[in-house]
Amino acid sequence: MFKILEFSRAHFFIEPAPESDGLAVQPLQVLAHTYTERMKPAPAPVPSAFSSATRLAIVGDSIAYGRSDPSGGWAQYLAAAHISRDELNNRFYNLAIPGKTLAGLHKYTPAEVATRKVDTIIISAGINDLAGVDGSTPVTAEELLEHLKNLCNQLENGVGTVILLTPLWLDHIAARQQMGFNVVPAQVKKYRNLLVTWADETQHTVIDLYPVLENRPERLVDGVHPDPEGHRLIWESMIAAND
């Protein structure tokens, strides 16, 4: 009979029970990774578009920030999944600012991603530009696409991969009544279509989120911002995209 004297990740040290005749304490070798891998939970699935990322960042507006979901929205799902794949090396930075326009992102984004040595960046913005918030004048879908192109040009000089997200469908009536948020639905859909076409022509990665909550106003707390279930649906759609 033996009893465990000491346990470490790599060894069990055992000693003989009293009835044994003076046997020396023997180390029983156990591969370190066998223990750690069995105890470690399996990494959460990550959208294939982000699978090669190490230092991952998001820039955008309040939807990317996770407003209306106390858990942090779809971005927090992504953060947890990304870090769980390699906690030692992977990093995640949510640089989204509620109320920001796509046109305004160029003022801080290049410096922020350079400081953090980001290798993959997600751009999730544009609805505020179409509505004319943050002190801006409403833009057309065509003008918004030009803002996106300019930001991509700035970032691609220092960031390896730029991933684009289309705008979500929104309930424009509820948005106007509850937030004073005035946006023309046709312009939102037009920008989505222009973005998808341009990304295809230029070989940029784009994830089309517009259909996820389309005609599902119950998943938008104010016509614009997804509720927690809406964010979960967005995340599931991102996992399925590009597979």
Side-chain angles (χ1 to χ4, degrees):
M1 296 289 295
F2 296 90
K3 65 178 180 179
I4 295 175
L5 225 175
E6 179 183 344
F7 169 76
S8 73
R9 183 176 292 178
H11 299 86
F12 286 102
F13 289 97
I14 57 177
E15 69 174 4
E19 62 268 28
S20 300
D21 294 327
L23 295 176
V25 174
Q26 297 291 329
L28 176 64
Q29 296 289 333
V30 179
L31 292 178
H33 74 271
T34 301
Y35 169 74
T36 55
E37 289 304 315
R38 285 180 179 175
M39 298 299 292
K40 185 178 179 182
V46 171
S48 59
F50 314 119
S51 60
S52 62
T54 299
R55 304 181 71 86
L56 176 61
I58 299 173
V59 293
D61 50 28
S62 56
I63 297 174
Y65 175 81
R67 178 175 167 179
S68 300
D69 182 357
S71 297
W74 65 260
Q76 191 57 37
Y77 286 106
L78 175 57
H82 177 65
I83 293 172
S84 73
R85 290 169 63 88
D86 187 347
E87 188 172 354
L88 182 62
N89 296 301
N90 283 3
R91 297 292 182 269
F92 181 85
Y93 307 101
N94 192 337
L95 306 177
I97 300 176
K100 275 297 178 184
T101 60
L102 179 56
L105 293 182
H106 74 278
K107 296 177 182 178
Y108 75 94
T109 299
E112 292 280 1
V113 300
T115 298
R116 292 166 173 80
K117 299 179 181 177
V118 169
D119 59 59
T120 303
I121 188 164
I122 304 163
I123 302 176
S124 176
I127 195 68
N128 289 331
D129 302 73
L130 295 174
V133 303
D134 197 25
S136 66
T137 301
V139 301
T140 65
E142 292 84 359
E143 291 170 331
L144 184 54
L145 184 63
E146 291 303 312
H147 289 315
L148 177 68
K149 291 178 182 178
N150 292 336
L151 182 59
C152 286
N153 288 336
Q154 283 184 289
L155 295 175
E156 286 169 342
N157 291 326
V159 177
T161 303
V162 175
I163 297 171
L164 311 172
L165 304 185
T166 68
L168 299 171
W169 177 86
L170 78 164
D171 181 350
H172 68 286
I173 296 176
R176 183 175 65 250
Q177 292 175 342
Q178 297 183 43
M179 295 180 61
F181 196 85
N182 294 303
V183 65
V184 179
Q187 286 293 307
V188 178
K189 193 166 188 177
K190 186 174 184 179
Y191 173 65
R192 172 252 192 155
N193 294 338
L194 289 172
L195 172 53
V196 170
T197 299
W198 176 76
D200 183 59
E201 292 173 349
T202 57
Q203 298 185 328
H204 282 83
T205 298
V206 62
I207 299 178
D208 185 9
L209 299 178
Y210 187 89
V212 179
L213 304 181
E214 188 172 10
N215 297 320
R216 301 187 68 175
E218 71 279 4
R219 296 276 66 92
L220 302 171
V221 299
D222 50 19
V224 176
H225 298 97
D227 65 2
E229 175 64 11
H231 276 285
R232 186 188 66 79
L233 293 171
I234 292 168
W235 171 240
E236 290 181 350
S237 179
M238 293 174 72
I239 293 175
N242 303 320
D243 285 343

